[in-house]
Amino acid sequence: LQRVSADRVSIVARHCARGRAFVTAPLVGTDTELAAGEPGEIERSVLDEAGIDPTDFDLPGEFDSSGTRRAVLLRTDLDIRVDDGDPRFAFALPSGSYATVLLREFTKTDPLAE
């Protein structure tokens, strides 16, 4: 992780455009380190509004989560083919990313709708 200062924004923006750097957000857990300054204030505000506390993730056995930071935007090679009228998707995502999130962009359905 590297925090970006105002004088490095253009450099880091170029790295992001080339896929060599990523903007991250916390995946909350017991040891989550929130950002400093205004970004950290925003993260804390969101957690407070949602009623989430990092200690909520101190669960027994394999159900606990220490937390991490993950990229906010991912790029993937996506191949879409239509076989007998049905779309077929082929792609790869890094660990911790969810295929259902990507596929929902194609169906545009509310994940909570029945």
Side-chain angles (χ1 to χ4, degrees), residues 29-93:
T30 55
D31 299 329
T32 298
E33 289 187 33
L34 300 177
E38 185 179 0
E41 291 173 20
I42 294 168
E43 292 171 354
R44 286 174 187 79
S45 173
V46 169
L47 292 175
D48 288 345
E49 188 175 314
I52 297 172
D53 188 274
T55 60
D56 296 340
F57 298 88
D58 188 12
L59 301 169
E62 61 190 55
F63 298 105
D64 71 328
S65 175
S66 60
T68 188
R69 293 189 75 86
R70 295 279 168 86
V72 173
L73 176 67
L74 297 172
R75 293 184 178 119
T76 185
D77 290 329
L78 175 63
D79 180 40
I80 305 172
R81 295 183 184 177
V82 178
D83 295 328
D84 297 324
D86 295 323
R88 306 281 181 193
F89 298 86
F91 55 91
L93 293 171

Side-chain angles (χ1 to χ4, degrees), residues 17-37:
R18 294 177 182 157
R20 295 173 44 199
F22 308 92
V23 175
T24 65
L27 183 61
V28 183
T30 55
D31 299 329
T32 298
E33 289 187 33
L34 300 177

